[in-house]
Amino acid sequence: MSSIHVLSKLHTGSWRTCDVFDIQKPNDGTISFHTNKLNKRNKMVVIETNSTDLLPDVANILENTFAQQTANVILHHHKDNEDNFITRIVVSAQCKDAVVELKEDNYCGPPAPSKDVMIQEGQLVKIALEGNIRIVGRNEITFRFYKNVRVKEEFLVESVDPQKDVNRRCYLGKCMYYVNKLERYENHLSKRRNAESTWEALVGFDISLKVCEIIQF
């Protein structure tokens, strides 16, 4: 028989199981109950299950799922300078308005905005270029995604080897977006010290730059 479990997230990052009593389940799909020692400032997860195994892991999965946003990645170039790029990550409902705003600032595609991707609030994003192109003055770009913060990253792109793609009449490369994943260890108290960063590919765009005229002396 299933039972109700309430878990509260502590400031250390671990989950504590709270005592639950006076549980009521009316026929409208809701659950009401009382619990003690529950700080209203802490996140709370309610789980109905017939097993108490891995409750903290289930709570983490639920927390991460609800924290995710459906978003689109926009990568445009300046109309007067195709080496000058600007990028934004916006929730899907704001994508059309963001494209219009960039167009008013003289930025346009291709490439077109990405398909819907899943990203978490506050998640770290990394931009890195591959192929025969690179970001001028930087190896990569990192920033955090926030739904209500208008983050714009502008950067210049140049060729790595001007001689490589001359016959193609363009320098070929790829602009890759990665999101940071944290490997959590059992010792939540020292999570910040022990966590190791891993990167997962989010989306990629093909980029081609016009070959500059090479003057032979």
Side-chain angles (χ1 to χ4, degrees):
M1 182 176 179
S2 64
S3 56
I4 303 297
H5 302 273
V6 176
L7 287 83
S8 174
K9 190 167 190 179
L10 306 178
H11 71 278
T12 59
S14 60
W15 293 92
R16 182 185 68 182
T17 302
C18 304
D19 295 330
V20 181
F21 51 93
D22 293 341
I23 300 173
Q24 296 183 16
K25 296 177 62 178
N27 295 326
D28 59 358
T30 62
I31 299 174
S32 64
F33 56 86
H34 290 85
T35 184
N36 54 15
K37 298 181 180 180
L38 178 63
N39 190 332
K40 293 182 179 180
R41 296 181 180 179
N42 294 350
K43 291 183 179 179
M44 181 182 69
V45 171
V46 180
I47 303 173
E48 183 176 9
T49 179
N50 55 6
S51 172
T52 59
D53 295 337
L54 304 176
L55 282 178
D57 293 333
V58 174
N60 279 326
I61 292 172
L62 291 173
E63 180 189 25
N64 292 335
T65 299
F66 285 107
Q68 287 185 328
Q69 303 279 345
T70 303
N72 300 104
V73 182
I74 304 172
L75 177 67
H76 281 179
H77 61 84
H78 199 278
K79 291 180 179 179
D80 299 327
N81 182 2
E82 294 188 356
D83 299 344
N84 184 5
F85 286 84
I86 194 169
T87 187
R88 288 190 63 189
I89 301 180
V90 297
V91 293
S92 297
Q94 301 173 359
C95 183
K96 290 183 178 180
D97 291 339
V99 170
V100 171
E101 291 177 8
L102 291 174
K103 186 175 181 180
E104 292 174 349
D105 292 333
N106 291 323
Y107 287 93
C108 64
S114 73
K115 296 181 179 179
D116 289 349
V117 296
M118 300 303 295
I119 188 170
Q120 292 184 17
E121 182 78 0
Q123 194 165 27
L124 189 64
V125 181
K126 178 175 72 173
I127 302 174
L129 300 191
E130 301 175 354
N132 194 23
I133 58 174
R134 63 188 173 194
I135 303 171
V136 176
R138 289 185 282 182
N139 293 327
E140 59 189 33
I141 296 172
T142 58
F143 62 92
R144 293 192 179 275
F145 166 79
Y146 293 102
K147 176 180 177 180
N148 296 319
V149 178
R150 298 161 60 89
V151 177
K152 295 181 182 180
E153 286 289 342
E154 188 172 0
F155 55 95
L156 293 174
V157 174
E158 65 181 2
S159 63
V160 176
D161 182 1
Q163 299 286 345
K164 183 178 179 180
D165 295 321
V166 171
N167 294 333
R168 298 177 182 268
R169 305 307 301 169
C170 62
Y171 305 121
L172 302 179
K174 201 175 198 63
C175 183
M176 293 296 303
Y177 292 72
Y178 300 90
V179 289
N180 179 259
K181 300 286 185 179
L182 289 180
E183 295 180 356
R184 299 170 184 257
Y185 289 80
E186 293 182 359
N187 186 359
H188 294 283
L189 292 175
S190 59
K191 180 179 65 174
R192 290 188 178 181
R193 295 195 301 270
N194 293 339
E196 294 182 355
S197 296
T198 59
W199 295 97
E200 180 179 277
L202 183 67
V203 70
F205 296 99
D206 292 323
I207 293 180
S208 61
L209 302 180
K210 290 182 179 179
V211 170
C212 298
E213 183 179 356
I214 300 176
I215 302 177
Q216 301 290 343
F217 291 96

